[in-house]
Structures are given as C-alpha cells and as structure tokens.
Amino acid sequence: MSDDLTTGLRELAESAEQVPPLSGAGIRHLVQRRRRRRRTVAALGGTAAVAAVALALVLGLGGSGTGRREVPATRPTSTLTRQPAPDVEVDLSSRLLKADGRSMPVSSGFARTPTPTGRMTVISKADVTMVSGAVVGRPHDLRYNVPWVIRLRADDGTTTAVFGLSTDNTTPGVYDITSGWIGLRTADAKWLYERLRTGSVVDIEGQAPAVPWATPSA
C-alpha cells in the first residue's frame, strides 16, 4: 500500500469516522478534500482573529463605544505678567515727583515741548552735563552746566531726563520751563541721583497744566 494511501487511512481512523467502501484513489481524493477544507477553515479563523484585533485597536484609539478615553482639554497658558512697582512716580499734572516716601516739586516741558509720559528706565547718570539754554528755559544759543542728570528711556526709544534745575531753583512746582526734561531743585536732584541706579524704573503720568500757576519774573 502506498504512503499516501496509508496516511489517508490513518487520518480517517484518527477522525473516528468509518472508512467508506472506496478504492485507494477514492480514499486519496476524500483525504485531499478534507485537507483543503481544514486549510480553508484555518485561514478564515486567522482572518477573523486579525479583524478582531484591528477592531479592538480602533475602539481603543478613539472609535465610538464605551471604551473610548477622552483627552482632557488643556487650559491656555496666560501670557500676562505683572509689572514691578516703579522706583519713582512723576505726576506732571500736580508737578510732583515721588520716591521712597518723599514728594518733590518738578518743572516739566512747555505745551509745545511736552515731557514724554509712560514707563521709563534709567539708562545712565552724570554728575554734570552741558545743555543748551532751551533745556532750562533760556535762549537756545546759550550753554549751561546742569547737575545730577539721570537719563531715561522708554521701550519705544523715547528719551528724557531728570536733572537739577540750578539756573532757577524757584521754578519746580510753580511753572514749567524745560524743553521736555524734568527739573528738580538742586538738593532734591542730588538726593534722587544718589538712590537711583541703572535699570531703576520711573513712571511719568499726567499732563503739565495749560496755564502756569505763576508767571516767571522778568
């Protein structure tokens, strides 16, 4: 008996089926048909298993169903930052400068040459600086040495300065004569100069009065 016929009879016997009254060729044909059927069933089973795994992945990764996990929404990060308190506050409307609990009178710019407002930073200091007469309310062609100059600059590049108005110590707090700088009495300017450093913050607010409180003497 050939090996194929022997193998076929053994498979039929192991399946607990009764050997049909067939010839050797018929038995081989029956065995081959059964093998093809088992392969088809196995292939279908494998495909079903792959499909089941794929479905589970879809459901787990966001498909509809009770197994879906919601990703919590994140809150936008706030970009707002609180600015530090200024070291100096200048109120042009009341002609006052406040620093370290002390108030000092100031003289600021004319209406046509107003003192710039906003938050500024100290960028440099000088014990004495020569300026044109316009800075101190005198003829433009003259030059004057003024003490205790603290130069300021805003983020947009605007500049001004605080200085000792040594040409006339009676003007601060009374009327405005400068070309945009902030004039203090000499002693007040020295006191402030010794306390501020490069990087100190100065807030300038308000607007110089349209009409001076007094008129400069001739």
Side-chain angles (χ1 to χ4, degrees), residues 22-56:
L22 298 174
S23 63
I27 292 173
R28 281 192 289 271
H29 178 72
L30 178 60
V31 170
Q32 290 173 356
R33 188 173 61 186
R34 289 174 181 271
R35 285 178 179 173
R36 285 195 296 271
R37 186 169 60 191
R38 285 199 298 271
R39 292 194 189 101
T40 301
V41 172
L44 290 175
T47 303
V50 171
V53 172
L55 178 60

PDB file of all heavy atoms in Angstrom, residues 22-56:
ATOM      1  N   LEU A  22     -14.374   2.636  -0.485  1.00  0.00           N
ATOM      2  CA  LEU A  22     -13.838   3.269  -1.690  1.00  0.00           C
ATOM      3  C   LEU A  22     -12.532   2.622  -2.084  1.00  0.00           C
ATOM      4  O   LEU A  22     -11.883   1.954  -1.282  1.00  0.00           O
ATOM      5  CB  LEU A  22     -13.581   4.763  -1.414  1.00  0.00           C
ATOM      6  CG  LEU A  22     -14.828   5.616  -1.054  1.00  0.00           C
ATOM      7  CD1 LEU A  22     -14.373   7.016  -0.681  1.00  0.00           C
ATOM      8  CD2 LEU A  22     -15.809   5.654  -2.215  1.00  0.00           C
ATOM      9  N   SER A  23     -12.185   2.868  -3.331  1.00  0.00           N
ATOM     10  CA  SER A  23     -10.887   2.401  -3.811  1.00  0.00           C
ATOM     11  C   SER A  23      -9.786   3.267  -3.237  1.00  0.00           C
ATOM     12  O   SER A  23     -10.049   4.289  -2.603  1.00  0.00           O
ATOM     13  CB  SER A  23     -10.852   2.458  -5.342  1.00  0.00           C
ATOM     14  OG  SER A  23     -10.986   3.811  -5.760  1.00  0.00           O
ATOM     15  N   GLY A  24      -8.560   2.866  -3.483  1.00  0.00           N
ATOM     16  CA  GLY A  24      -7.431   3.660  -2.988  1.00  0.00           C
ATOM     17  C   GLY A  24      -7.459   5.068  -3.541  1.00  0.00           C
ATOM     18  O   GLY A  24      -7.210   6.041  -2.835  1.00  0.00           O
ATOM     19  N   ALA A  25      -7.750   5.233  -4.825  1.00  0.00           N
ATOM     20  CA  ALA A  25      -7.808   6.565  -5.421  1.00  0.00           C
ATOM     21  C   ALA A  25      -8.920   7.396  -4.804  1.00  0.00           C
ATOM     22  O   ALA A  25      -8.779   8.598  -4.555  1.00  0.00           O
ATOM     23  CB  ALA A  25      -8.019   6.450  -6.938  1.00  0.00           C
ATOM     24  N   GLY A  26     -10.070   6.741  -4.542  1.00  0.00           N
ATOM     25  CA  GLY A  26     -11.188   7.467  -3.930  1.00  0.00           C
ATOM     26  C   GLY A  26     -10.856   7.945  -2.537  1.00  0.00           C
ATOM     27  O   GLY A  26     -11.245   9.031  -2.111  1.00  0.00           O
ATOM     28  N   ILE A  27     -10.141   7.068  -1.793  1.00  0.00           N
ATOM     29  CA  ILE A  27      -9.744   7.457  -0.440  1.00  0.00           C
ATOM     30  C   ILE A  27      -8.796   8.651  -0.487  1.00  0.00           C
ATOM     31  O   ILE A  27      -8.926   9.609   0.285  1.00  0.00           O
ATOM     32  CB  ILE A  27      -9.085   6.271   0.286  1.00  0.00           C
ATOM     33  CG1 ILE A  27     -10.145   5.193   0.557  1.00  0.00           C
ATOM     34  CG2 ILE A  27      -8.455   6.723   1.598  1.00  0.00           C
ATOM     35  CD1 ILE A  27      -9.586   3.920   1.104  1.00  0.00           C
ATOM     36  N   ARG A  28      -7.810   8.603  -1.427  1.00  0.00           N
ATOM     37  CA  ARG A  28      -6.879   9.731  -1.538  1.00  0.00           C
ATOM     38  C   ARG A  28      -7.628  11.024  -1.877  1.00  0.00           C
ATOM     39  O   ARG A  28      -7.330  12.098  -1.365  1.00  0.00           O
ATOM     40  CB  ARG A  28      -5.811   9.423  -2.578  1.00  0.00           C
ATOM     41  CG  ARG A  28      -4.701   8.508  -2.046  1.00  0.00           C
ATOM     42  CD  ARG A  28      -3.537   8.471  -3.004  1.00  0.00           C
ATOM     43  NE  ARG A  28      -3.878   7.746  -4.224  1.00  0.00           N
ATOM     44  CZ  ARG A  28      -3.708   6.420  -4.368  1.00  0.00           C
ATOM     45  NH1 ARG A  28      -3.204   5.703  -3.375  1.00  0.00           N
ATOM     46  NH2 ARG A  28      -4.033   5.824  -5.508  1.00  0.00           N
ATOM     47  N   HIS A  29      -8.603  10.947  -2.797  1.00  0.00           N
ATOM     48  CA  HIS A  29      -9.386  12.124  -3.173  1.00  0.00           C
ATOM     49  C   HIS A  29     -10.158  12.683  -1.988  1.00  0.00           C
ATOM     50  O   HIS A  29     -10.213  13.899  -1.763  1.00  0.00           O
ATOM     51  CB  HIS A  29     -10.354  11.752  -4.307  1.00  0.00           C
ATOM     52  CG  HIS A  29     -11.236  12.906  -4.718  1.00  0.00           C
ATOM     53  ND1 HIS A  29     -10.781  13.999  -5.425  1.00  0.00           N
ATOM     54  CD2 HIS A  29     -12.558  13.113  -4.494  1.00  0.00           C
ATOM     55  CE1 HIS A  29     -11.772  14.842  -5.625  1.00  0.00           C
ATOM     56  NE2 HIS A  29     -12.884  14.314  -5.066  1.00  0.00           N
ATOM     57  N   LEU A  30     -10.747  11.787  -1.173  1.00  0.00           N
ATOM     58  CA  LEU A  30     -11.502  12.215   0.007  1.00  0.00           C
ATOM     59  C   LEU A  30     -10.603  12.891   1.026  1.00  0.00           C
ATOM     60  O   LEU A  30     -10.934  13.925   1.597  1.00  0.00           O
ATOM     61  CB  LEU A  30     -12.195  10.997   0.633  1.00  0.00           C
ATOM     62  CG  LEU A  30     -13.001  11.275   1.925  1.00  0.00           C
ATOM     63  CD1 LEU A  30     -14.106  12.289   1.660  1.00  0.00           C
ATOM     64  CD2 LEU A  30     -13.556   9.964   2.468  1.00  0.00           C
ATOM     65  N   VAL A  31      -9.416  12.296   1.218  1.00  0.00           N
ATOM     66  CA  VAL A  31      -8.465  12.877   2.179  1.00  0.00           C
ATOM     67  C   VAL A  31      -8.017  14.255   1.727  1.00  0.00           C
ATOM     68  O   VAL A  31      -7.926  15.198   2.514  1.00  0.00           O
ATOM     69  CB  VAL A  31      -7.265  11.944   2.367  1.00  0.00           C
ATOM     70  CG1 VAL A  31      -6.165  12.661   3.167  1.00  0.00           C
ATOM     71  CG2 VAL A  31      -7.691  10.676   3.076  1.00  0.00           C
ATOM     72  N   GLN A  32      -7.719  14.453   0.432  1.00  0.00           N
ATOM     73  CA  GLN A  32      -7.285  15.755  -0.074  1.00  0.00           C
ATOM     74  C   GLN A  32      -8.375  16.806   0.088  1.00  0.00           C
ATOM     75  O   GLN A  32      -8.108  17.961   0.427  1.00  0.00           O
ATOM     76  CB  GLN A  32      -6.879  15.623  -1.546  1.00  0.00           C
ATOM     77  CG  GLN A  32      -5.601  14.830  -1.746  1.00  0.00           C
ATOM     78  CD  GLN A  32      -5.309  14.571  -3.215  1.00  0.00           C
ATOM     79  OE1 GLN A  32      -6.118  14.939  -4.095  1.00  0.00           O
ATOM     80  NE2 GLN A  32      -4.180  13.917  -3.495  1.00  0.00           N
ATOM     81  N   ARG A  33      -9.622  16.390  -0.148  1.00  0.00           N
ATOM     82  CA  ARG A  33     -10.731  17.330   0.005  1.00  0.00           C
ATOM     83  C   ARG A  33     -10.870  17.789   1.456  1.00  0.00           C
ATOM     84  O   ARG A  33     -11.121  18.957   1.746  1.00  0.00           O
ATOM     85  CB  ARG A  33     -12.021  16.666  -0.476  1.00  0.00           C
ATOM     86  CG  ARG A  33     -13.204  17.647  -0.538  1.00  0.00           C
ATOM     87  CD  ARG A  33     -14.397  17.007  -1.180  1.00  0.00           C
ATOM     88  NE  ARG A  33     -14.819  15.853  -0.391  1.00  0.00           N
ATOM     89  CZ  ARG A  33     -15.792  15.011  -0.793  1.00  0.00           C
ATOM     90  NH1 ARG A  33     -16.397  15.176  -1.951  1.00  0.00           N
ATOM     91  NH2 ARG A  33     -16.140  13.983  -0.025  1.00  0.00           N
ATOM     92  N   ARG A  34     -10.719  16.797   2.394  1.00  0.00           N
ATOM     93  CA  ARG A  34     -10.800  17.157   3.813  1.00  0.00           C
ATOM     94  C   ARG A  34      -9.660  18.105   4.209  1.00  0.00           C
ATOM     95  O   ARG A  34      -9.834  19.017   5.008  1.00  0.00           O
ATOM     96  CB  ARG A  34     -10.765  15.893   4.681  1.00  0.00           C
ATOM     97  CG  ARG A  34     -12.057  15.059   4.583  1.00  0.00           C
ATOM     98  CD  ARG A  34     -11.891  13.765   5.351  1.00  0.00           C
ATOM     99  NE  ARG A  34     -13.087  12.952   5.259  1.00  0.00           N
ATOM    100  CZ  ARG A  34     -14.108  13.034   6.091  1.00  0.00           C
ATOM    101  NH1 ARG A  34     -14.058  13.917   7.083  1.00  0.00           N
ATOM    102  NH2 ARG A  34     -15.183  12.279   5.949  1.00  0.00           N
ATOM    103  N   ARG A  35      -8.461  17.891   3.667  1.00  0.00           N
ATOM    104  CA  ARG A  35      -7.324  18.759   3.986  1.00  0.00           C
ATOM    105  C   ARG A  35      -7.581  20.187   3.508  1.00  0.00           C
ATOM    106  O   ARG A  35      -7.296  21.168   4.204  1.00  0.00           O
ATOM    107  CB  ARG A  35      -6.048  18.209   3.335  1.00  0.00           C
ATOM    108  CG  ARG A  35      -5.487  16.995   4.032  1.00  0.00           C
ATOM    109  CD  ARG A  35      -4.268  16.498   3.284  1.00  0.00           C
ATOM    110  NE  ARG A  35      -3.684  15.334   3.943  1.00  0.00           N
ATOM    111  CZ  ARG A  35      -2.688  14.615   3.424  1.00  0.00           C
ATOM    112  NH1 ARG A  35      -2.177  14.946   2.239  1.00  0.00           N
ATOM    113  NH2 ARG A  35      -2.206  13.570   4.079  1.00  0.00           N
ATOM    114  N   ARG A  36      -8.143  20.287   2.262  1.00  0.00           N
ATOM    115  CA  ARG A  36      -8.426  21.616   1.746  1.00  0.00           C
ATOM    116  C   ARG A  36      -9.449  22.343   2.611  1.00  0.00           C
ATOM    117  O   ARG A  36      -9.362  23.540   2.852  1.00  0.00           O
ATOM    118  CB  ARG A  36      -8.921  21.526   0.295  1.00  0.00           C
ATOM    119  CG  ARG A  36      -7.807  21.239  -0.716  1.00  0.00           C
ATOM    120  CD  ARG A  36      -8.278  21.530  -2.115  1.00  0.00           C
ATOM    121  NE  ARG A  36      -9.381  20.642  -2.532  1.00  0.00           N
ATOM    122  CZ  ARG A  36      -9.206  19.474  -3.117  1.00  0.00           C
ATOM    123  NH1 ARG A  36      -7.982  19.015  -3.380  1.00  0.00           N
ATOM    124  NH2 ARG A  36     -10.251  18.733  -3.471  1.00  0.00           N
ATOM    125  N   ARG A  37     -10.440  21.553   3.078  1.00  0.00           N
ATOM    126  CA  ARG A  37     -11.469  22.154   3.925  1.00  0.00           C
ATOM    127  C   ARG A  37     -10.879  22.653   5.239  1.00  0.00           C
ATOM    128  O   ARG A  37     -11.209  23.723   5.736  1.00  0.00           O
ATOM    129  CB  ARG A  37     -12.568  21.131   4.192  1.00  0.00           C
ATOM    130  CG  ARG A  37     -13.776  21.722   4.964  1.00  0.00           C
ATOM    131  CD  ARG A  37     -14.935  20.770   4.969  1.00  0.00           C
ATOM    132  NE  ARG A  37     -14.534  19.516   5.611  1.00  0.00           N
ATOM    133  CZ  ARG A  37     -15.283  18.406   5.583  1.00  0.00           C
ATOM    134  NH1 ARG A  37     -16.434  18.398   4.920  1.00  0.00           N
ATOM    135  NH2 ARG A  37     -14.869  17.309   6.187  1.00  0.00           N
ATOM    136  N   ARG A  38      -9.966  21.867   5.864  1.00  0.00           N
ATOM    137  CA  ARG A  38      -9.332  22.285   7.117  1.00  0.00           C
ATOM    138  C   ARG A  38      -8.488  23.548   6.913  1.00  0.00           C
ATOM    139  O   ARG A  38      -8.460  24.438   7.749  1.00  0.00           O
ATOM    140  CB  ARG A  38      -8.470  21.151   7.687  1.00  0.00           C
ATOM    141  CG  ARG A  38      -9.289  20.030   8.339  1.00  0.00           C
ATOM    142  CD  ARG A  38      -8.406  19.202   9.264  1.00  0.00           C
ATOM    143  NE  ARG A  38      -7.326  18.538   8.541  1.00  0.00           N
ATOM    144  CZ  ARG A  38      -7.422  17.325   7.985  1.00  0.00           C
ATOM    145  NH1 ARG A  38      -8.556  16.666   8.078  1.00  0.00           N
ATOM    146  NH2 ARG A  38      -6.409  16.793   7.354  1.00  0.00           N
ATOM    147  N   ARG A  39      -7.776  23.622   5.764  1.00  0.00           N
ATOM    148  CA  ARG A  39      -6.965  24.808   5.487  1.00  0.00           C
ATOM    149  C   ARG A  39      -7.844  26.045   5.328  1.00  0.00           C
ATOM    150  O   ARG A  39      -7.515  27.137   5.792  1.00  0.00           O
ATOM    151  CB  ARG A  39      -6.137  24.595   4.216  1.00  0.00           C
ATOM    152  CG  ARG A  39      -5.049  23.545   4.343  1.00  0.00           C
ATOM    153  CD  ARG A  39      -4.083  23.644   3.179  1.00  0.00           C
ATOM    154  NE  ARG A  39      -3.154  22.533   3.150  1.00  0.00           N
ATOM    155  CZ  ARG A  39      -3.250  21.479   2.362  1.00  0.00           C
ATOM    156  NH1 ARG A  39      -4.280  21.398   1.501  1.00  0.00           N
ATOM    157  NH2 ARG A  39      -2.354  20.513   2.388  1.00  0.00           N
ATOM    158  N   THR A  40      -8.978  25.854   4.650  1.00  0.00           N
ATOM    159  CA  THR A  40      -9.901  26.987   4.461  1.00  0.00           C
ATOM    160  C   THR A  40     -10.432  27.480   5.786  1.00  0.00           C
ATOM    161  O   THR A  40     -10.494  28.681   6.065  1.00  0.00           O
ATOM    162  CB  THR A  40     -11.057  26.569   3.546  1.00  0.00           C
ATOM    163  OG1 THR A  40     -10.548  26.139   2.304  1.00  0.00           O
ATOM    164  CG2 THR A  40     -12.016  27.755   3.339  1.00  0.00           C
ATOM    165  N   VAL A  41     -10.832  26.553   6.654  1.00  0.00           N
ATOM    166  CA  VAL A  41     -11.338  26.917   7.976  1.00  0.00           C
ATOM    167  C   VAL A  41     -10.273  27.631   8.792  1.00  0.00           C
ATOM    168  O   VAL A  41     -10.527  28.622   9.466  1.00  0.00           O
ATOM    169  CB  VAL A  41     -11.848  25.655   8.717  1.00  0.00           C
ATOM    170  CG1 VAL A  41     -12.190  26.002  10.167  1.00  0.00           C
ATOM    171  CG2 VAL A  41     -13.068  25.082   8.012  1.00  0.00           C
ATOM    172  N   ALA A  42      -9.023  27.103   8.714  1.00  0.00           N
ATOM    173  CA  ALA A  42      -7.926  27.729   9.468  1.00  0.00           C
ATOM    174  C   ALA A  42      -7.653  29.135   8.962  1.00  0.00           C
ATOM    175  O   ALA A  42      -7.424  30.070   9.731  1.00  0.00           O
ATOM    176  CB  ALA A  42      -6.670  26.861   9.360  1.00  0.00           C
ATOM    177  N   ALA A  43      -7.686  29.305   7.624  1.00  0.00           N
ATOM    178  CA  ALA A  43      -7.443  30.627   7.049  1.00  0.00           C
ATOM    179  C   ALA A  43      -8.516  31.611   7.466  1.00  0.00           C
ATOM    180  O   ALA A  43      -8.246  32.759   7.821  1.00  0.00           O
ATOM    181  CB  ALA A  43      -7.374  30.526   5.520  1.00  0.00           C
ATOM    182  N   LEU A  44      -9.772  31.140   7.421  1.00  0.00           N
ATOM    183  CA  LEU A  44     -10.871  32.015   7.843  1.00  0.00           C
ATOM    184  C   LEU A  44     -10.754  32.389   9.314  1.00  0.00           C
ATOM    185  O   LEU A  44     -11.034  33.510   9.720  1.00  0.00           O
ATOM    186  CB  LEU A  44     -12.215  31.335   7.561  1.00  0.00           C
ATOM    187  CG  LEU A  44     -12.609  31.189   6.084  1.00  0.00           C
ATOM    188  CD1 LEU A  44     -13.894  30.387   5.954  1.00  0.00           C
ATOM    189  CD2 LEU A  44     -12.749  32.559   5.431  1.00  0.00           C
ATOM    190  N   GLY A  45     -10.324  31.423  10.127  1.00  0.00           N
ATOM    191  CA  GLY A  45     -10.152  31.706  11.548  1.00  0.00           C
ATOM    192  C   GLY A  45      -9.080  32.746  11.795  1.00  0.00           C
ATOM    193  O   GLY A  45      -9.226  33.640  12.623  1.00  0.00           O
ATOM    194  N   GLY A  46      -7.961  32.652  11.050  1.00  0.00           N
ATOM    195  CA  GLY A  46      -6.888  33.638  11.201  1.00  0.00           C
ATOM    196  C   GLY A  46      -7.334  35.026  10.785  1.00  0.00           C
ATOM    197  O   GLY A  46      -7.023  36.040  11.429  1.00  0.00           O
ATOM    198  N   THR A  47      -8.080  35.111   9.675  1.00  0.00           N
ATOM    199  CA  THR A  47      -8.575  36.407   9.212  1.00  0.00           C
ATOM    200  C   THR A  47      -9.502  37.040  10.232  1.00  0.00           C
ATOM    201  O   THR A  47      -9.458  38.239  10.510  1.00  0.00           O
ATOM    202  CB  THR A  47      -9.313  36.242   7.870  1.00  0.00           C
ATOM    203  OG1 THR A  47      -8.436  35.652   6.925  1.00  0.00           O
ATOM    204  CG2 THR A  47      -9.800  37.598   7.357  1.00  0.00           C
ATOM    205  N   ALA A  48     -10.374  36.215  10.834  1.00  0.00           N
ATOM    206  CA  ALA A  48     -11.301  36.724  11.851  1.00  0.00           C
ATOM    207  C   ALA A  48     -10.546  37.240  13.068  1.00  0.00           C
ATOM    208  O   ALA A  48     -10.912  38.256  13.658  1.00  0.00           O
ATOM    209  CB  ALA A  48     -12.277  35.604  12.256  1.00  0.00           C
ATOM    210  N   ALA A  49      -9.471  36.539  13.428  1.00  0.00           N
ATOM    211  CA  ALA A  49      -8.691  36.980  14.589  1.00  0.00           C
ATOM    212  C   ALA A  49      -8.031  38.324  14.308  1.00  0.00           C
ATOM    213  O   ALA A  49      -8.015  39.221  15.157  1.00  0.00           O
ATOM    214  CB  ALA A  49      -7.633  35.926  14.935  1.00  0.00           C
ATOM    215  N   VAL A  50      -7.470  38.494  13.085  1.00  0.00           N
ATOM    216  CA  VAL A  50      -6.835  39.766  12.718  1.00  0.00           C
ATOM    217  C   VAL A  50      -7.860  40.885  12.734  1.00  0.00           C
ATOM    218  O   VAL A  50      -7.622  41.997  13.220  1.00  0.00           O
ATOM    219  CB  VAL A  50      -6.165  39.649  11.333  1.00  0.00           C
ATOM    220  CG1 VAL A  50      -5.704  41.032  10.865  1.00  0.00           C
ATOM    221  CG2 VAL A  50      -4.985  38.689  11.400  1.00  0.00           C
ATOM    222  N   ALA A  51      -9.053  40.603  12.189  1.00  0.00           N
ATOM    223  CA  ALA A  51     -10.107  41.612  12.164  1.00  0.00           C
ATOM    224  C   ALA A  51     -10.520  42.009  13.576  1.00  0.00           C
ATOM    225  O   ALA A  51     -10.776  43.182  13.858  1.00  0.00           O
ATOM    226  CB  ALA A  51     -11.313  41.079  11.383  1.00  0.00           C
ATOM    227  N   ALA A  52     -10.588  41.032  14.475  1.00  0.00           N
ATOM    228  CA  ALA A  52     -10.972  41.325  15.858  1.00  0.00           C
ATOM    229  C   ALA A  52      -9.940  42.229  16.532  1.00  0.00           C
ATOM    230  O   ALA A  52     -10.276  43.169  17.254  1.00  0.00           O
ATOM    231  CB  ALA A  52     -11.147  40.023  16.641  1.00  0.00           C
ATOM    232  N   VAL A  53      -8.645  41.944  16.300  1.00  0.00           N
ATOM    233  CA  VAL A  53      -7.585  42.765  16.879  1.00  0.00           C
ATOM    234  C   VAL A  53      -7.659  44.190  16.332  1.00  0.00           C
ATOM    235  O   VAL A  53      -7.525  45.185  17.061  1.00  0.00           O
ATOM    236  CB  VAL A  53      -6.199  42.147  16.598  1.00  0.00           C
ATOM    237  CG1 VAL A  53      -5.098  43.115  17.021  1.00  0.00           C
ATOM    238  CG2 VAL A  53      -6.059  40.823  17.333  1.00  0.00           C
ATOM    239  N   ALA A  54      -7.871  44.317  15.000  1.00  0.00           N
ATOM    240  CA  ALA A  54      -7.966  45.643  14.384  1.00  0.00           C
ATOM    241  C   ALA A  54      -9.129  46.426  14.963  1.00  0.00           C
ATOM    242  O   ALA A  54      -9.028  47.627  15.240  1.00  0.00           O
ATOM    243  CB  ALA A  54      -8.115  45.499  12.863  1.00  0.00           C
ATOM    244  N   LEU A  55     -10.274  45.772  15.142  1.00  0.00           N
ATOM    245  CA  LEU A  55     -11.436  46.443  15.708  1.00  0.00           C
ATOM    246  C   LEU A  55     -11.154  46.928  17.127  1.00  0.00           C
ATOM    247  O   LEU A  55     -11.532  48.027  17.517  1.00  0.00           O
ATOM    248  CB  LEU A  55     -12.638  45.483  15.699  1.00  0.00           C
ATOM    249  CG  LEU A  55     -13.939  46.042  16.305  1.00  0.00           C
ATOM    250  CD1 LEU A  55     -14.380  47.284  15.544  1.00  0.00           C
ATOM    251  CD2 LEU A  55     -15.022  44.984  16.301  1.00  0.00           C
ATOM    252  N   ALA A  56     -10.473  46.087  17.909  1.00  0.00           N
ATOM    253  CA  ALA A  56     -10.136  46.483  19.279  1.00  0.00           C
ATOM    254  C   ALA A  56      -9.231  47.710  19.291  1.00  0.00           C
ATOM    255  O   ALA A  56      -9.378  48.610  20.109  1.00  0.00           O
ATOM    256  CB  ALA A  56      -9.470  45.313  20.010  1.00  0.00           C
TER     257      ALA A  56
END
